[in-house]
Amino acid sequence: MQFLFNRKGQHIANLINQQLHAPNGQGIGYFLENEGIFIDSNGYYLGEVVYENRLLFNTTSALKNSNFGGRAMHGSIGSYGNPGTYGNIGVSPHYQDIKMPWMKAKV
């Protein structure tokens, strides 16, 4: 299990067995090992890990407009707790925070 954070160090996702889950346990995507990227449940590029534990959108990725085929999401895995914040890494010219609609919904 790996905690993943945005640029500001906010906990935004957990990686468990190649599956990406929101902090509340909701399934939100998959890791494609060969490509080294995450995709959402519709098969679209979601982002990639940068600086060991930051899940960010690479604006220059050749894969950002590709579709890898939709996949059914597995149910909730439950919460793995809150690791707190990890520290701000500032602005990087080619990386943005990913869109996180799951962070707006409180469960």
Side-chain angles (χ1 to χ4, degrees):
M1 203 282 295
Q2 181 181 10
F3 293 120
L4 298 172
F5 303 86
N6 65 9
R7 291 186 313 189
K8 294 179 183 174
Q10 178 186 16
H11 175 222
I12 60 168
N14 298 318
L15 175 61
I16 302 166
N17 298 326
Q18 309 294 70
Q19 296 177 27
L20 191 64
H21 295 271
N24 68 5
Q26 167 192 354
I28 53 177
Y30 293 91
F31 180 66
L32 299 181
E33 191 169 355
N34 289 339
E35 292 81 2
I37 64 168
F38 290 90
I39 59 170
D40 64 18
S41 61
N42 295 316
Y44 290 99
Y45 175 87
L46 183 63
E48 53 199 73
V49 173
V50 182
Y51 304 119
E52 297 181 32
N53 62 4
R54 305 305 171 111
L55 179 56
L56 302 175
F57 184 90
N58 182 351
T59 60
T60 62
S61 173
L63 302 174
K64 71 180 181 179
N65 295 317
S66 299
N67 184 291
F68 297 89
R71 299 170 187 217
M73 297 307 311
H74 300 286
S76 176
I77 58 161
S79 175
Y80 274 72
N82 184 347
T85 58
Y86 201 79
N88 191 328
I89 61 169
V91 178
S92 180
H94 300 294
Y95 292 97
Q96 304 174 345
D97 285 330
I98 63 170
K99 293 178 183 171
M100 303 176 295
W102 61 88
M103 295 298 282
K104 292 177 177 64
K106 298 291 181 191
V107 175

